[in-house]
Every structure is written in structure tokens, then in C-alpha cells.
Amino acid sequence: MSDTTLAATRGNPALDLLRRYGIWVIALVVMLVLPKIFTSGAALTTMCLMGIMIVFSLAYNMLLGQTGMLSFGHAVYYGLGGFLAVHAMNVIAAGKLPIPLPVVPLVGGLMGLTFGFIFGAVSTRRAGTVFAMISLGLGELIASLSLILRGFFGGEEGITANRTKMLTLWGVRFGPQIEVYYLIASWCFVCMIAMYAFTRTPLGRMCNAVRDNPERAEFVGYSTQMVRFITFCISGFFAGIAGGLAAINFELMNAVNISGAQSGSVLLMAYIGGIGHFMGPVLGAVLVVLLQVFLSDITGAWMLYFGLIFIMMVMFAPGGMAGLIMLHLPLWQRGTLLQVVPAYGVMLVPALMGVAGAVALIETAHHQLVKTATEGPAMTLFGIAYTSNSMLPWIVALVLIGGGLWLGRLWGPRMAGAYSDAAHGKDLGKEVSK
Amino acid sequence: MLELVIFSTLNGVLYGMLLFLLASGLTLIFSMMGVLNFAHASFYMLGAYFGFQISQWLDFWVALFVAPVCVGLVGAAVERWGLRTVHKWGHVPELLFTFGLAFVIEEMVQMIWGKLPVDYRVPKLLDFPAFELFGTTYPAFRMFMLLISVAIFLVLLLVLTRSRIGLIIQAALTHPNMVAMLGHNVPKVFMMVFGFGSGLAGLAGVIAGPALVTQPSMAHVLGPILFVVVVFGGLGSLSGAFIASLMIGLIQTFAIAINYSIGDLLTSVGMARPVQGMLSDLWQVTVAQVGPVVPYLMLVLILIFRPTGLMGTRES
Amino acid sequence: MSHGYRTGLTALALGLGVSALALPAMAQVKIAFIDPLSGAMAPIGEHGVKHFQYMIDKINAAGGVNGQKMELLTYDNKLSPQETVIAAQKAIDAGARVLTLGNGSGAAAAMIDFVNKHNDRNPGKEVVYLNYAAVDPAFTNDKCSYWHFRWDAHSDIKMQALTSYIKTQPGIKKVYLINQDYSFGQAVRKAANEMLKAKRPDIQIVGDELHPLAKITDFAPYIAKIKASGADTVITGNWGSDIALLLKASADAGLQVNYYTYYAGGAGGPTSVKQTGLKDKVFQITEGIANINTKENFAWEEDFRKKHQNHGWWYPRVRNEMDMLAKAMNEAKSNDPKVFVEKLRGMKYKNIYGKDTYMRAEDHQFFQDIYISALTPMTGDMKFDEENTGWGWKMTATIPMAETDVPTSCKMAKPS
């Protein structure tokens, strides 16, 4: 993991402190300020969802990134946590129990922990493919059961609750979304710190050992199975907290939350963000939530973009977004980051060409194939009106893509050269991006 | 009752064979390359749509041969220009690549052929009831599907056990590194296997399309169950996949025919069934309802008690 | 790493572009349509959009409401309750105060809950939910809301109508129920069991099947079971691929029974009925069909089909909904839900077939004549076919409004 490189460049203690904790301060400030900038209801709901998904994907990455366990069914713990939280909210509201809303996610967490304990006991005995497949089977089992056990899961309509009907603390009713945002943000921040702290504990370190070389970890005297099991439980706990937060945010839990689709999307978030770095899943959660919420508003072919973006990411940026950023950390430390800016700026030209061409091609094709029959061929893209059944837009799109690829190939080495010059032959970059 | 048993057996075997057509390709890909190919069912869907399109332009019988080849070529291209790049970064990126690919294929199919089911017909030559039993007819096309899948199984078995390329594949299944060290071009073998596996899935699509419904969601429905077949049968074992396919086909079909619930069982042995409480539904659920869940239960149980699967020799 | 950098940038640019584009538009009476516009249910949602756009064009051509034009906003909820909540939030941000949503009882339940809470927490900014297709009886019974109105007949009303018809058909002796295993399917099954027992105690229910929703690839095993039971009639609430596959498997096995369905008329349904050749055997229960012979109806259907490649006017209820909305707004002289909702409650309305209908004030459920029709090849008096198959819906029976009356358990709380 990369934080060793940070620690390596030790100097002024105040600067060191800033370097060590600066990122957390920044995160806190960003979280506090964001709702002041994006004030609309949808933006607030989206940011709440981001907070929830950040916790969930970080919990997931405890398994995948930290311990090397690929799970296809982590939504089970998220969903069960959420369901119990919703039931808890209803029970608390009905029985007038003196439990305030902010504590409810903990209920979800305990549910996640309990089921992590039960299912972890059977599934973490093996690593690798066997673990992955057991998680797939368990995930599908619970997802199917959620539609059969109507009493607990409420069928596909799910279970609803009302968060305002609970004990109020200091006059906060949690009716307005902004109050819920700050609740989620606080939980998110606390969970982030807790999960980061976990990576620094001896157990957290052992997880990495179990991931990288289980045999050696056994020889040192650790039970790899025990390490996997404990991590699994803790990960289930945090996933359950995320589920509890989701229950508060939507005041609704239903079968979708426990399904394979939810398990798949957390895997995507963690991976796209970058599983090799602690902050990766955070970036991934933000990006994927943005795409999920807003992409379908601007294009009918959103699934195609969604798929293509992921294919491109795994093909060309296997370290995820965090990997790309970490690649430039040594440059920043050496103070040579500015050197690469001109080369990158030049690359912007083919990049924009390629993207514009691809978007034009997809949108024109989508319009021609899907909409022309009912709405006619006239369409508008990038503020340009044209008809999708004429040849010109297709040619332009293909030329843009071709030109982008050609220029990219032509100038690519120069950019790579600029990068390695800036990094000055030191192999730090390679190591970090791993 | 007898007729139910006979038809359930027929339908179960047919469904099992269809699963096998898909799973045989996947088991080769999965065991050799370690790729959890989430897009495998998408190739099955592509096969159905290609088959539909070609039978519109030309004829079903042309489609039967051409469409699987086209799908195979698409598969090989995906391996050559996509998966191969990702391969060096490990299995998770490969898996995510196929994940994204499934999205892309589904959306493209929707764009080209629309979101509604297409009118993919059984060819005239086979559009008659094959036989009638207890007043129920069994369509000839289904018999034809059965025939094709059995034929493919036999051909596969022969190729894998008797031919040189089959031996290399067999070896690569169990000892991929050794095969590479012996000087075989493993990437090329991978590409061929991936293309071939996709082609098989495509063939399944061509023959299943007219019997079932050809629509963009057809890939979703089959996706995860294929992994169950492959893992349950055991990695690297074609005969394991064959047995698992048939088992799952038969279990799912027969489960539908049984209408008893746990509650009924309790009542029959003289116990009162619980009716209150959040989990009381558990007692009302019939075997028919849980039928589709059974394969996943089988998967979890076999992995807990026999991690290599039914006939497998290794865990990953 | 050049490619990697480029994709990183793409992703970022997309993210930024996306958030910049989600800004509200200008002031008009905005109607937000929220339904699945991608995935398996997309054809149904997309066809819904066309219905609403057509209605809004008509209303605007007639002068709009209170001098303002209507505008349609569309949102894709991907059939998910959570996405529905987000979409509703987006619609409200964009200035919509009338939300309409049809498909999926999960999404509809989430919407009712959301609207209740939103109106409770944001006094003065009330929104109203007009439901055009979600038929879970609970929405106008236990879960009824002052802010929810339903124009489709809910599944108990449809079953009430169907059983009234079955009462007159002595030929029906053995009925098999097959439904999807979720709340709607279970509601159909429950109503069928109760109502058949009450109206035709002699009928034997020989099978009562629930199968997983949208997960079955081959219905042949179920058909074998139906066959073995000796049923002469099948009642099913299946929709989407579940009805298409069921009919297909039935035709393959040569099963000659009558199918009484809720949704055989849905997207792709007529195509699969024709493909299987089940002539005069597949019935649907709806609030109207294209081939009801009134001048207005034929003219309407013709005009819509001309504009939409011979796609039929599937949802007579959308016409009722939007007409009545415009009427309520104009009568109340206000486009504010808080004001015009009162006019909608109990509103009487003459529909395009010249029949009286009304919105029941107690539970906000719409009542109208219900029709049972069969899909058959076109004959003399039929004017319109479905999905260019050459087959169309032929009227079998009309159940008058009075007979569709079902009681409600709704205790509506009127907000202060």
C-alpha cells in the first residue's frame, strides 16, 4: 500500500502532521461545504446516496482489496442490515422507545455482523474461486428468499418507515433532507476513519499478508482462515451500517437492495475507484452513483455508456481512478508535476476528439435505430441540429474517432516520455500503481 | 401422474441439455483461462438474434450453421482485442470486463432489434407435433433441440479425448503452465477456446430462440445458473458439467411438479404449523416455489462439503 | 499510460457534464412521467410516454390549463423503488407538482410513501401522484392516500368483473390459477379464490400456482402440470415475458384451454398470441379496447395510430386521467395540487365510449365499465389490429360499472 511512501519523506513535524492528516481535514471540509454548493433536493439525495455507497464500497474493499477475497454477494449484509434498521425504526416509533434515529445504523451494523459471522463461518474456510462461488450462491439464495419471506422483507414493495416519528434530539426531526445528509456524512466520516484505522492494525496488515502469500502467513503462525473470517465479520458490520443509513435515507428497504445487482454494483464501485488504495472505493462510489443517477437523464443509451466506460477503465486503467492519481504522487513529491502538464494538455486534443466522435456515433446510431421510426430523423447533439439518416454525421463521427486514435498513438509515447522524465527513472510509480 | 412424470422428465432433460450446451463452453473458458465470463449468456442471446436475422434474410437451416460461426468470431475478437489486454492484470479485471461487455451487448441488441421480443419462428419443416401422449403433444422442434445437443455432446467428447487439439485443451485444463512450457501457443489456444465456447453458446441461442422467446432479457435469466452448473460439476470436468446440467434441469422441472410445503409435512406428521411471526411464510412455501432456488443451495452445499465440485480435481 | 489518462479524463468530464446538465427548466405546468425507460419493461414505459405526450399536445391545443401550457418531463426509474424516489426528487426540483407513474407495485408503493412524506414535510409545496397502471388493491385500501389517485381498475375490481362474467359461463368447470410470486400475483390469486367460491361454488380450482417473477425460461413443466390437472380455464395475472412464454409453451403442448389474462395485451403480447395461434382462446380484462364502435373512439384511435406507426392507444385510462386533471385544474382555477385535488375527488366524467364514470372520493379509485375481449384474426366489424399482426381484440362481454363496485377499507386522512 502506498502510505509507506508518504511516511518515507519525513521532514518538518508540522508538515508531516499535515501530510498525514491533511487529507482527512480536506475530506471533512468537502463534506461540510458540499450541500452549500449543491442545494437542490435531487443533489442532496444523490450526495446522501454517495455517502452510503462510500461506506459500503469501503467495507467491500476490506475483502477484495485488502484480503483478496472476491465476493459476489456482499449486498446480503448491506440489505439485511437495512431491513433490520427499517424494522427497528418501526418498532421504536410504535413503542415510543427512547432511541434516537442517529443510533439506528448501529442496529443495521450488528445485523450485518451477525450474518457475517454465520455465513462467514461457512464461506471463509476457503479462499479464491471457492469463496467467490459460495458468496454467489449465498447471495442468490438470500435474494430469492427475500421474495418468499414476505413477512420480514415485505415482497417487492419492501418495508417502509418514517424517520420523523422517533425521539427527537435537540429539536432535530430529520424531516428535511439536509439534516439526513449531515447524519449520513457524520456516519460516513466516522466509518471511514474506523476502516482506515483497521488497515493500520496488526490484523489489517495480516490481511494483506493473507492476500499476497497465504502459505507464508500460515508459516508465520497465523490461521489464514481466522484472518479471513474476522475480516469478513467486520466488513459485514460496516456493510450493515451502510444498509442502516440507506434505510434512513430512503425510509424504504426492498428486495432490490439485497439482489445480485446491488452486489455487482459495489464490486464495480470498488474496482473502478481502485482497490489498491484506501481512497479508491470512495472515488468509485462517487463516480458510479453519479453515473447511475444522472446518466439515464441525458441519454437513452445510458447502459451502453455505462458498459463502455467500465470496459475502458478495466482495459486501460487497471489501478482504477486512485491508481491514476497515485501514479502522479511521486511527481508531486518531487515537485515535477508541472513538467507533464504541457504533454498532457496536448493529449487532451486527441482525447476530446475520440470522446466526441464516440458520443456522436452512439447518439446518432441510437437515434437512427430507436427513434427515427417514431420521431423522424431530426436530432440535436452538442447544440448542432442534423438528421441521423444522412451520411455526413456518421463520417464526421468516424473521422473524429479515427483521428483521435491516430493522434493518440502518435503523441502517446511523447506523453509517456514526459511522465518518465518527470518521474526521473525512479521506479516508484510502478510500485505504487500496483 | 404418469404423464406428468414422463413430460417432466422430457422437459427436464431438454432444459438440462440446453444448459449443457451453454455450460460446456463456459467450463472450457472458466477452467482454462480462469475467466468468470459473465457475458457468456450474452453470446447465447447474440446467437438467437443472429439466428433470427439470418433466417429472416435466408433460411433457418443456413442460420443454424452460420450464426454460431458469427458468434464464435465475435467471441474470438473479444478475446483477442479485449480480454487479452486485461488478462495480465488478473482475474477480477477480466471478470469486470465481461461484466461491462454484457451491458454493451444487451444495449446494442436493444438498439438494433428493439426491446420487444422478435418473431423468431420454428422452421416450417419442424413445425409439427412429434408425438402425442395422454393427449399432450410434444413438438418436433424440441426433439430436434434434444438431438442437436446430444450430438454436440458426443462430438465434444470425441474431439476432446481423441484429437490432438483436444489433448492440448485437456492438458491446459489441468496444467495450464505446463502446456505453455511445452511450447504451445497458449494465447492462441485461449482465443480459439473462447471463440469456440462462444460459438457453442451461440448455437444454443439459435436453437433455443424459436422454442423460447428471443428478447433482450433472455441473457439475464440464464446468467448465474451457468456458474452453478460449471462449479457444481467441478472445474475442468466436461462430464461433471454434463451431469450437473442434467441434474439441475431435472430437479428444477420436478420441483415444479411438487406442491407440498414444509407446513404440509408438519401437518401430516401431526404437528401444528406456526402461522404467526415474521418468518411464518417459511412454512407456507411450496417446493414448486423454491424450485429455482435449489441450484444455489446445491452450489453452496457442495462447495462447503466438496470444494472441488462433483467431478473436479482442483479448486481454482 | 496514455490511454488510462484519457479514460480517466473522460470519466471526469462525463461526471461534471452530467451534474451541470441536471438543471431545472422554465415555468410551465410540468407533468413528470416516471417509469422504466430502460431494461425489460422499457417498451411499456416508452409507449406510456407517447400516450401522455399525445394528451398534453391535445390539452395545449385546446388552450392549456388556466392559460398555461402543460409540459411533459420524463424520468427513467429503472423499475426500482429507490430510483423512483430519486426521480421524483429530480422532478420536484425541476418544478413538477404532478407526478404520474404506472408500472411496478414496488415503485408505486415507494411513490405513495414518498409523496405522503414530502407533502407532510414541505407544506405549501404539495405534489400529487396520479397512478395510471399500478393495480395492487392496497393502494386504495389500507395504503390509501389523499395525494394518490388511481385510474386503472385495481386487480380486485378486474377479478370482480371477470368472475361476474364467469358466472354466466356454465361451460367453465375446472379453473387453474397461475401467477407470479409477488404481491400483485398473490392479490390476483387471493381474489380469484374468494370470488369464485362466492359466485360459482361448483367450480373446482384444480391448481393454484405461484412461480418466480421473470425468472422462468421454459413454461413447459407448468403446462404439463396444467394438462395433468384437467383444467379447462386458466386465470393469470402474468405480464411481460411470463405471459408470452406461458402461451408459447401452451401452444407447443397443444393445450386447448381458455386463458383469462390481465396483461396479454401488453407490449409483445399480441405478437406472441398470434405466433402461437391461440385463436379466440386468450382473453384480457381492460377498461377499453380499440374496437369499441363509437365515432369518437375510432377517430381517436386512427389519429394516434397514424402518428405512431400503427401502435394502438393501449391506455384509455391515460386519456381519462389527463382529461380529468385538466378539468380539475380549470374548474379550480388553479394549478396547485392543494387546490385542484378537491375537484378530482368524486369527479364525474363521461368517457370516450359515452359512458359515465367517476372517481370515488372515499379511496380515490376510478370506476368505469370493464370489458372482456378476445384476440382473434380480424373479422368484419373489427377495425384495428394489434402490433401489425392482423389480429385484434374482439369484444366478448361488457361488465357495467355498477357490478365492478368493490368496497374499500380506506380511511382517508385529509391533511389540515
Side-chain angles (χ1 to χ4, degrees), chain C residues 3 88 217:
Chain C
H3 293 288
T217 40

Side-chain angles (χ1 to χ4, degrees), chain C residues 125-348:
Chain C
K125 289 181 190 158
E126 287 83 357
V127 296
V128 62
Y129 165 31
L130 309 182
N131 171 2
Y132 78 95
V135 298
D136 188 337
F139 300 156
T140 47
N141 282 292
D142 297 343
K143 288 187 187 161
C144 72
S145 157
Y146 182 78
W147 303 108
H148 162 260
F149 291 84
R150 168 156 60 193
W151 271 268
D152 201 0
H154 67 64
S155 65
D156 287 359
I157 298 178
K158 287 188 177 178
M159 189 53 73
Q160 175 90 350
L162 178 64
T163 45
S164 292
Y165 170 73
I166 287 178
K167 215 168 144 185
T168 67
Q169 301 293 310
I172 298 176
K173 293 205 166 60
K174 289 183 170 179
V175 172
Y176 199 100
L177 309 173
I178 178 163
N179 287 296
Q180 294 152 326
D181 193 3
Y182 79 113
S183 62
F184 165 65
Q186 297 199 331
V188 172
R189 160 207 205 192
K190 185 164 161 270
N193 270 313
E194 284 168 5
M195 293 177 183
L196 281 176
K197 205 165 279 171
K199 290 181 186 169
R200 278 285 302 274
D202 62 307
I203 282 186
Q204 211 188 331
I205 295 174
V206 290
D208 185 357
E209 191 85 52
L210 288 173
H211 65 76
L213 177 65
K215 280 218 174 88
I216 308 289
T217 40
D218 186 3
F219 273 90
Y222 292 96
I223 297 297
K225 221 169 148 184
I226 296 175
K227 185 86 197 173
S229 75
D232 54 41
T233 300
V234 173
I235 296 178
T236 176
N238 282 14
W239 46 260
S241 64
D242 284 339
I243 183 79
L245 287 167
L246 177 70
L247 293 173
K248 203 159 185 172
S250 173
D252 275 351
L255 179 65
Q256 293 293 316
V257 297
N258 284 332
Y259 281 91
Y260 290 99
T261 73
Y262 279 45
Y263 293 117
T271 307
S272 59
V273 175
K274 191 210 173 183
Q275 211 179 332
T276 53
L278 290 169
K279 185 174 114 186
D280 275 318
K281 292 222 161 288
V282 179
F283 298 84
Q284 66 166 358
I285 316 156
T286 54
E287 78 283 15
I289 55 169
N291 288 320
I292 292 176
N293 196 349
T294 68
K295 211 178 93 200
E296 291 79 11
N297 185 39
F298 275 8
W300 186 285
E301 194 74 37
E302 199 143 354
D303 185 50
F304 185 75
R305 286 179 184 234
K306 207 163 65 201
K307 288 192 173 117
H308 292 108
Q309 279 72 41
N310 203 25
H311 282 304
W313 182 262
W314 284 353
Y315 307 131
R317 49 189 184 264
V318 170
R319 180 173 48 218
N320 302 340
E321 175 186 320
M322 291 305 286
D323 259 355
M324 287 169 71
L325 173 68
K327 199 172 150 204
M329 285 176 161
N330 282 328
E331 277 179 10
K333 299 196 174 50
S334 167
N335 299 336
D336 182 350
K338 181 125 205 207
V339 185
F340 73 71
V341 157
E342 273 303 314
K343 293 283 173 195
L344 267 182
R345 312 184 71 207
M347 179 184 273
K348 292 195 168 30

